[in-house]
Amino acid sequence: MATTPPPIKLKQSQTNSTAQTLLVRETLRISANLASSNSNSTEPETPPPLSLVGSAENRRSSLGLVEEEYVNSSLRLICSEEINGRRWNYVAEKDALAGTFNKASIRALTLNTPQPPHEDLMSFLRSYVVPEGFPDSVSPSYVPFMKWRALKHFFGGAMGVFTMQTLLSSVGVSRNQATPGAVAFNWILKDGAGRVGKMLFARQGKKFDYDLKQLRFASDLLMELGLGVELATAAVPHLFLPLACAANVVKNVAVVTSTSTRTAIYKAFAIGENIGDVTAKGECVGNVADLLGTGMSIMISKRNPSLVTMFALLSCGYVFSSYQEVKSVELHTLNRARFTVAVDSFLKTGRVPSLREGNLNEKIFSFPWLKDRSVVLGPRFNDAFQDPGEYLAIEPLFEKEGYIVTYNPSKGKVYALLKDQAKSDDILKAAFHAHVLLHFVQSSNESQSSSQKQRECNNYSDIVLTTTDLEAHMSESCKMVSKSYGIFKSKAAEQGWKMSESLLNPGRARLCASDKLG
C-alpha cells in the first residue's frame, strides 16, 4: 500500500527583508502521483471519518513551524508558509475511491490566534511609517532622527496656519479690501519670486554634498526667517507684495536645500537596497506630523491667541527639533567638519573617533559660507604668502609632495596650497598636514601665552611667530606627517570612515611650474 509522502515545511528566510511567500507545489504533484498509482489496488484505502486533531499533544516542531497531525481525515497537508511571523497550513481533500486529490480542494488553515483590533490597527500604521524589516533594515540612528523630524514638522505645520492667516488678512481677502483680480495678481507675483530664488540657489550644487548637515540646519533657519517675514505683513499690510516676495524667495531657497540633502541623509539610514522604502516612510512620518500640527493650530487659532506669542513658542520648538534632527544623523564620510574632529582627536589621543563620536562632535553652526576657518585648503598664492622669502624658505620641504603648507601669522590661518599634479591622496594628505601644523602652532602659542582670556578665546592672531619658529614648526610637522598619515588613514578605515578629497571642498587654485620663484 502506497503511503503519502511526508509534508514539506517552509519558513520565510530571515535574511530577506521583503516578506516572500514560499510554496512547495512539487509535494502536491508527488502526492497525486503516488495516490493515482494506488488507485488500481484491489483493496482501496477506506476513508476514515473527517476529524482534525489540533491539540497541543498532537503537535510537533519541525523547522521552526508547528505541524498539525491530520488523523482519520480525508484532508492531506500539502505545505506550510510563513509571512512576517504569521503561519498557515495548506491542505487538500483526497478522494478515497479514486485515490487522487480533488480538484480545487486546496484550503488555507491559519495557525495564528486572532489578534485584538488594536494590534491590527498598529500593524496597519507600522506599514506606513516604518520600513519593511524594521529595525534590522535601518541603522540605529533612524529612530531618533524620525522622532525629531516628526516633532519639527509638527511645529512647522502649526506655524504655517498662523502665517497663512496673516498673509490672507494682509492681502485683503478676509477684509474684502481688494478685488479678486488684484489678490490673484499679488499671489502669483509672490509665488513667481519664490521660483526665481529656487532656480538661482540651485547653482550651489556640490555644497549640498560635503556640508549637508550644516546646510540642512541652515535651511530650517531660513524657513523660520521666511515665516517670520510673512508674519510681519500683518503689521504693514501695505507692504504685502515686497515682504511676501522676499519671504517666498527665502522659503524656496530653504526648500531647495532641504530637498537636495534629503537623499544623502536617508541613504545613511538604509541597510541594503531599501533607500526607496526608507525615503517613502520618512516622508510619510513628516506629512502625518505636519497634519497633526496643522489641526492643532486651527483649533488654537479659533481662540484668537496672540500671533507673536504663538509664533515665538512654535519657533523655539521648531529650531530645537531641527538641531536635534541633524545631530542624530550618522554619516560615514569625512567632510571638513568631521575631518577636523577626527584629526584633532588623533593628534591629542592617538585614536580616531567612532562614527557616533565624530558625528556628535561635528559643529552644526559652522555654516559653509562663513570664511572663519583655521585651515584653508586650495587657496590663492597671494592669500597664503606676502613675503617671497617665506615661500623660498619652506618650498624645499615640499619638493616631493603635491602640496605646500604654510602658516600666516597675520591672519592666524594655515594654508594648504595644491600643486597642479596633486592627486586625491595628495589633497587628503595636505589637509592632514595643515591640521598637524595648526596643532603645533596652537600648542606653541599656548605655552607662550600668559593670558587666561586669550587661552579661552583661542585667539592667536596677536602672537607673531618668528621665521625661525615657523621653520621649526614646519620641520616638525613634516616629520610627524610622514610617520603618522598612514596610521591615521588605517585607523579611520577601521572605524568605518570613508575619505574623499571632494568632500573636503578644496579650492580650485593650483600651483604650476611658472609660480615658482627663483
Side-chain angles (χ1 to χ4, degrees):
M1 181 181 297
T3 60
T4 304
I8 296 179
K9 294 288 186 179
L10 298 178
K11 184 174 182 179
Q12 179 75 8
S13 175
Q14 296 181 355
T15 61
N16 191 351
S17 61
T18 305
Q20 300 178 350
T21 304
L22 302 178
L23 297 176
V24 179
R25 303 183 183 277
E26 188 65 17
T27 307
L28 177 60
R29 184 184 63 80
I30 296 174
S31 299
N33 291 339
L34 291 175
S36 178
S37 62
N38 190 43
S39 61
N40 297 328
S41 175
T42 57
E43 296 182 2
E45 181 182 358
T46 304
L50 178 62
S51 64
L52 180 60
V53 180
S55 62
E57 293 77 11
N58 293 320
R59 298 179 180 179
R60 66 173 180 270
S61 177
S62 175
L63 295 177
L65 294 176
V66 178
E67 181 181 352
E68 295 285 356
E69 297 292 342
Y70 299 95
V71 181
N72 298 328
S73 173
S74 61
L75 297 178
R76 293 294 181 265
L77 179 62
I78 304 302
C79 64
S80 302
E81 73 174 358
E82 180 178 345
I83 305 176
N84 291 336
R86 307 190 69 182
R87 293 172 287 185
W88 289 265
N89 277 350
Y90 285 87
V91 298
E93 187 175 356
K94 185 175 182 181
D95 192 328
L97 298 177
T100 59
F101 286 97
N102 296 335
K103 294 182 179 180
S105 62
I106 295 181
R107 287 183 287 174
L109 302 178
T110 180
L111 301 179
N112 310 290
T113 56
Q115 292 184 339
H118 71 276
E119 288 291 339
D120 291 333
L121 177 61
M122 293 302 298
S123 298
F124 175 77
L125 294 177
R126 279 193 295 266
S127 67
Y128 277 91
V129 298
V130 297
E132 293 185 10
F134 177 85
D136 297 330
S137 61
V138 293
S139 64
S141 58
Y142 176 82
V143 173
F145 173 82
M146 282 302 163
K147 177 182 66 176
W148 292 112
R149 175 177 172 80
L151 192 59
K152 183 188 76 173
H153 278 266
F154 177 83
F155 288 118
M159 286 189 297
V161 172
F162 293 108
T163 57
M164 180 59 70
Q165 182 182 0
T166 302
L167 285 175
L168 293 176
S169 176
S170 300
V171 79
V173 170
S174 61
R175 300 178 184 176
N176 297 320
Q177 294 178 352
T179 63
V183 171
F185 181 73
N186 287 342
W187 208 265
I188 291 173
L189 285 179
K190 175 183 74 72
D191 290 344
R195 291 185 177 91
V196 172
K198 183 186 294 186
M199 290 186 296
L200 294 177
F201 192 72
R203 66 182 296 270
Q204 299 299 321
K206 191 65 177 177
K207 293 183 179 179
F208 298 134
D209 295 321
Y210 46 71
D211 284 322
L212 62 90
K213 280 190 179 183
Q214 291 77 8
L215 285 172
R216 178 82 173 195
F217 182 64
S219 71
D220 290 331
L221 294 182
L222 288 175
M223 180 64 70
E224 189 71 22
L225 176 62
L227 293 173
V229 173
E230 288 182 344
L231 193 69
T233 59
V236 282
H238 59 283
L239 297 178
F240 166 81
L241 188 57
L243 289 179
C245 288
N248 223 33
V249 169
V250 173
K251 288 172 62 178
N252 276 273
V253 169
V255 169
V256 170
T257 306
S258 178
T259 304
S260 301
T261 58
R262 179 179 57 193
T263 302
I265 291 177
Y266 283 139
K267 187 177 180 180
F269 298 132
I271 297 179
E273 301 298 327
N274 62 335
I275 179 64
D277 188 24
V278 173
T279 302
K281 300 305 169 53
E283 293 304 298
C284 182
V285 170
N287 290 332
V288 170
D290 190 278
L291 289 174
L292 292 176
T294 301
M296 182 202 72
S297 187
I298 290 175
M299 291 187 294
I300 294 177
S301 64
K302 293 180 179 180
R303 300 183 179 181
N304 296 321
S306 172
L307 292 180
V308 176
T309 302
M310 289 302 304
F311 185 82
L313 293 175
L314 294 173
S315 296
C316 293
Y318 182 85
V319 173
F320 179 75
S321 301
S322 174
Y323 180 78
Q324 294 296 332
E325 174 196 32
V326 173
K327 289 289 288 185
S328 65
V329 180
E330 292 184 11
L331 299 175
H332 293 217
T333 53
L334 284 174
N335 65 345
R336 281 196 179 190
R338 293 185 291 276
F339 188 85
T340 300
V341 172
V343 176
D344 288 347
S345 176
F346 177 77
L347 295 176
K348 294 176 181 178
T349 65
R351 57 180 293 271
V352 175
S354 63
L355 294 176
R356 180 172 179 80
E357 291 174 339
N359 281 274
L360 287 177
N361 292 325
E362 178 183 4
K363 292 183 179 180
I364 305 299
F365 284 103
S366 178
F367 300 123
W369 53 81
L370 299 180
K371 299 181 179 180
D372 59 349
R373 297 178 177 178
S374 300
V375 174
V376 182
L377 186 61
R380 297 291 301 275
F381 182 85
N382 57 354
D383 292 333
F385 294 99
Q386 280 77 43
D387 183 5
E390 296 178 359
Y391 173 72
L392 292 176
I394 66 173
E395 195 272 339
L397 297 174
F398 300 94
E399 185 176 359
K400 297 181 180 179
E401 301 291 349
Y403 62 90
I404 295 178
V405 174
T406 186
Y407 175 73
N408 191 323
S410 62
K411 298 180 180 180
K413 295 181 180 181
V414 175
Y415 294 89
L417 297 91
L418 304 175
K419 299 181 181 179
D420 57 349
Q421 72 271 23
K423 299 180 181 179
S424 299
D425 191 65
D426 293 325
I427 297 176
L428 293 172
K429 189 175 182 180
F432 180 79
H433 197 148
H435 283 87
V436 172
L437 178 59
L438 181 65
H439 175 73
F440 279 117
V441 171
Q442 290 180 346
S443 299
S444 176
N445 289 338
E446 286 180 353
S447 64
Q448 299 176 16
S449 176
S450 58
S451 173
Q452 181 66 26
K453 180 179 179 181
Q454 190 175 31
R455 287 198 298 268
E456 292 175 354
C457 297
N458 291 328
N459 183 9
Y460 308 106
S461 59
D462 295 333
I463 299 178
V464 180
L465 291 178
T466 64
T467 303
T468 303
D469 292 336
L470 180 58
E471 291 179 357
H473 292 325
M474 295 296 302
S475 179
E476 292 176 1
S477 66
C478 289
K479 293 179 182 179
M480 184 171 185
V481 170
S482 63
K483 296 179 181 179
S484 59
Y485 176 62
I487 299 175
F488 170 76
K489 288 204 305 180
S490 176
K491 290 187 176 182
E494 291 176 359
Q495 294 292 348
W497 291 108
K498 298 179 182 178
M499 292 192 293
S500 174
E501 82 287 350
S502 62
L503 296 178
L504 298 180
N505 186 23
R508 297 181 179 181
R510 297 293 185 271
L511 290 179
C512 302
S514 58
D515 293 327
K516 294 184 179 181
L517 300 176

